[in-house]
Amino acid sequence: MKNEAKGTIIGVNGNLIAVRFEGSVHQNEVGFALLDDQRLKAEVIRIRDDVAEMQVFENTRGLGPGDRVEFTGDLLTVDLGPGLLGQIYDGLQNPLVKLAETNGVFLPKGVYAEALDRTRKWDFLPKAKPGAAVGAGATLGQVQEGMFEHRIMAPFDLRGDWTLDWLGESGAYTVNDPIAKLRDPFGAERELTMHFRWPAKLPIRCYRKRLLPEHPMITGTRTIDTFFPVGRGGTYCIPGPFGAGKTILQQVTSRHAEVDVVIVAACGERAGEVVETMREFPKLSDPRTGRSLMERTIIICNTSSMPVAAREASIYTAITLAEYYRQMGLHALLLADSTSRWAQALREMSGRLEEIPAEEAFPAYLESRIGAFYERAGLVRLHDGTTGSVTIGGTVSPAGGNFEEPVTQSTLKVVGAFHGLSRNRAEARRYPAIDPLESWSKYRGALSPESVAKAREVLLHGEETRQMMTVVGEEGISMDDYVGYLKAELIDAVYLQQNSFDQVDAFCPSERQQQSFELILDILDANLDFPDKAEARTFFNTLRQKFIDWNYTPPESERFAELERGIRDHLSSAANQESLT
Ligand code: ADP
Ligand code: MG
């Protein structure tokens, strides 16, 4: 679509420009503000009479009344095709590494580059028959993209059934070469290439139906998988104060989660953080394949120095990419860090639009925007019968770590699991700092809910005893309560806490969690006898050390079984003799 409408800027307020136009202009249409020889991308966010208010995705310095604006008739779109994996994009899907090569680290504004390499050739394998009926999302062929068969699909905007008139033979094609021709019942023709565009703010719905998440997405983090599991195709959030470990937890998850494709949307808290992500990520190796983790990852980067509107674009670009890979029958995970930055961008724009503010000056539509974003997650059955999923995990960084604020509260209403990071745990360096008593999940994990509930009960009781002891001291509580407290501390030290910098401990596979948790249950069930509290403490210190040694030992090593036996022997040494018979 091409829009001939022309506009003139009549006001500039930060990243918001007011544009008087002639012709017709639509909500969410993209336009360009012309500044000398630069074209600054912008999106229509409100229209009143003949004035369009637009958020500019660039610094607006230099723009002023009288400057011209061109409209495109197109929504903000994402380019979809082979070659997305391994890329580092900004919110408008500009390939950052490529732009940096030609322009240096600081990008001049108004410089945009193609998201997909136009010259690279892909080996196309046709997978459909000429004459076949083709609907939106139908598979026409495939190319090998890294470790995945990347489905070449009919564009998602195709309406109704078309007939496949011609399909390219197997061979090497660029993303711009024609690979198919379609015809509709009225004789209209459409030529297809291996890529097409899709509006970032519209969910991709080329599937037969949505299914409820049934399997957990194993993350390898024990606290999550055992106590607060995430369904594959589900949603979860990680609120936590600054420095509580949100970003590190997401990095660990991006490496180890049992999914195919990972999309990282980094809306940085600090400018340096995102640069770090960009530098560190490509060096990481995939624990499952030993190859670079980047081969199955896409990073969308926004630093706090980029205009706020670009943060919103990042979130939508990222989810659209995740949905695209879901259409191939793959499992995608979108990690957004931090969604608070996005919410702040909404607040800032809303303020400039002089909308009636709701709580803490956030717009009244904050909740529905957050809801609509998380709703794009899901497990789906595709038209060919296969399934694919998008799981979304978003961090929230409430000021002062206060979870009562609107972004955290709006998010908690829509997600399926809550991993709340506690400042106390982080300060005590008990990582991951997921609060075992406050957090919750609506998903089913791999372990039996009864035994998990039992362990949580011990944790809860242990915490009560700990608080009691701060008042009455160790002497003031019974031996039973004291042992209960030591058991709770043990679960914390050897099960909840996990060393993300240890090669073995960083990732605890499902079977291992099961094995480890069974041992925990045996310890909880053991009827232990101690002459005094000092002895009890010594016993648990040794038990903890043995357990941690075991955690750090690879299961295939000889020491593994030996260490487990050592834990069990130590346990029997204090078991009440009567209870053993
Ligand atoms: P946030 O994103 O919540 O502000 P970060 O993820 O950047 O916090 O973590 C802040 C610091 O806390 C890290 O630089 C690191 O020193 C420490 N940290 C966080 N998580 C862990 C962990 N799992 N293991 C060890 N240290 C951690
Ligand atoms: Mg962070």
Side-chain angles (χ1 to χ4, degrees), residues 246-247 269 273 337:
K246 298 180 292 297
T247 302
E269 311 271 46
E273 194 170 78
D337 182 25

Side-chain angles (χ1 to χ4, degrees), residues 289-425:
T289 61
R291 291 155 62 150
S292 166
L293 192 62
M294 262 330 268
E295 284 185 32
R296 57 187 190 86
T297 307
I298 306 172
I299 298 179
I300 313 290
C301 268
N302 257 307
T303 65
S304 40
S305 59
M306 290 179 181
V308 292
R311 297 183 199 159
E312 200 198 15
S314 302
I315 290 281
Y316 289 108
T317 297
I319 183 67
T320 306
L321 293 173
E323 286 175 333
Y324 177 60
Y325 281 93
R326 174 170 71 184
Q327 290 297 131
M328 298 176 206
L330 297 174
H331 298 290
L333 169 65
L334 165 58
L335 295 170
D337 182 25
S338 142
T339 61
S340 295
R341 299 285 154 256
W342 166 44
Q344 283 166 3
L346 288 177
R347 173 162 68 184
E348 203 171 311
M349 273 304 155
S350 174
R352 297 224 161 102
L353 290 167
E354 295 176 359
E355 292 170 337
I356 298 167
E359 214 184 325
E360 292 190 19
F362 284 104
Y365 47 79
L366 175 73
E367 198 171 308
S368 64
R369 289 282 167 88
I370 290 177
F373 165 65
Y374 281 100
E375 252 168 47
R376 291 177 71 168
L379 173 70
V380 302
R381 181 161 319 279
L382 299 165
H383 288 303
D384 69 354
T386 57
T387 56
S389 68
V390 169
T391 306
I392 302 182
T395 69
V396 187
S397 32
N402 166 25
F403 293 172
E404 296 310 312
E405 57 85 48
V407 185
T408 311
Q409 288 302 314
S410 304
T411 307
L412 287 182
K413 280 186 195 161
V414 295
V415 293
F418 161 54
H419 301 157
L421 300 193
S422 123
R423 184 193 300 282
N424 287 342
R425 288 187 67 84

Side-chain angles (χ1 to χ4, degrees), residues 8 12 14 98 117 184 266-267 277 304 315 320 446 454 460 503 532:
T8 309
V12 178
K98 186 151 194 187
D117 189 334
D184 82 352
C267 287
T277 305
S304 40
I315 290 281
T320 306
K454 184 166 158 187
L460 182 63
Q503 278 244 323
D532 54 40

